[in-house]
Amino acid sequence: MAVTIGAALLCVASGCAGSSGWSVTDAQVCAPKSAPRVCVDGEPDYGHVLELADVELLPGECAVASDEARGGLVRVETRDPRGARRSRWLGARKGKITTVKVREDGEPVRSGREPCDRTPP
């Protein structure tokens, strides 16, 4: 409970990337200053589903926030094949692709962040 309250206060102070308006995308590039993107590492695949705001992602999939979204914290939660859940708040910046790795124990961790540097065709 304290972690959730602390994260919520941090969102108020520094901003959140939003908990709605996200959509799955297959675009491999993004323009500078575009909405935040989060991708799930495809390997290794332990069978977890990652819930990011209002979308579910499988390993190898990506989601993009709505065009109006600011960068900031977003809650990510994993669900293993037995239904056990783990969650964490991760930063998703505007103009960046944040990559999340799901460890074998289900813990979601940021594994990278790349700049959006090309406009999609």
Side-chain angles (χ1 to χ4, degrees):
M1 180 75 164
V3 172
T4 303
I5 293 170
L9 292 174
L10 187 58
C11 280
V12 171
S14 64
C16 283
S19 60
S20 64
W22 286 76
S23 59
V24 177
T25 181
D26 58 359
Q28 299 296 314
V29 297
C30 52
K33 299 183 183 178
S34 62
R37 291 176 184 261
V38 174
C39 296
V40 182
D41 276 343
E43 297 292 330
D45 181 356
Y46 297 112
H48 295 87
V49 174
L50 187 130
E51 296 175 16
L52 169 77
D54 55 352
V55 297
E56 289 187 346
L57 299 172
L58 297 173
E61 291 185 320
C62 298
V64 61
S66 67
D67 289 336
E68 302 83 37
R70 303 181 306 175
L73 295 176
V74 63
R75 184 183 173 108
V76 294
E77 184 171 81
T78 60
R79 184 179 69 242
D80 72 16
R82 296 178 315 278
R85 295 179 175 269
R86 304 272 312 251
S87 67
R88 170 177 248 165
W89 289 85
L90 295 175
R93 295 183 183 170
K94 196 167 184 133
K96 304 281 185 188
I97 301 170
T98 301
T99 307
V100 176
K101 177 180 183 175
V102 181
R103 298 189 317 204
E104 186 173 10
D105 66 359
E107 181 73 23
V109 294
R110 188 183 90 199
S111 61
R113 183 173 286 140
E114 298 292 325
C116 291
D117 58 2
R118 294 184 289 160
T119 303

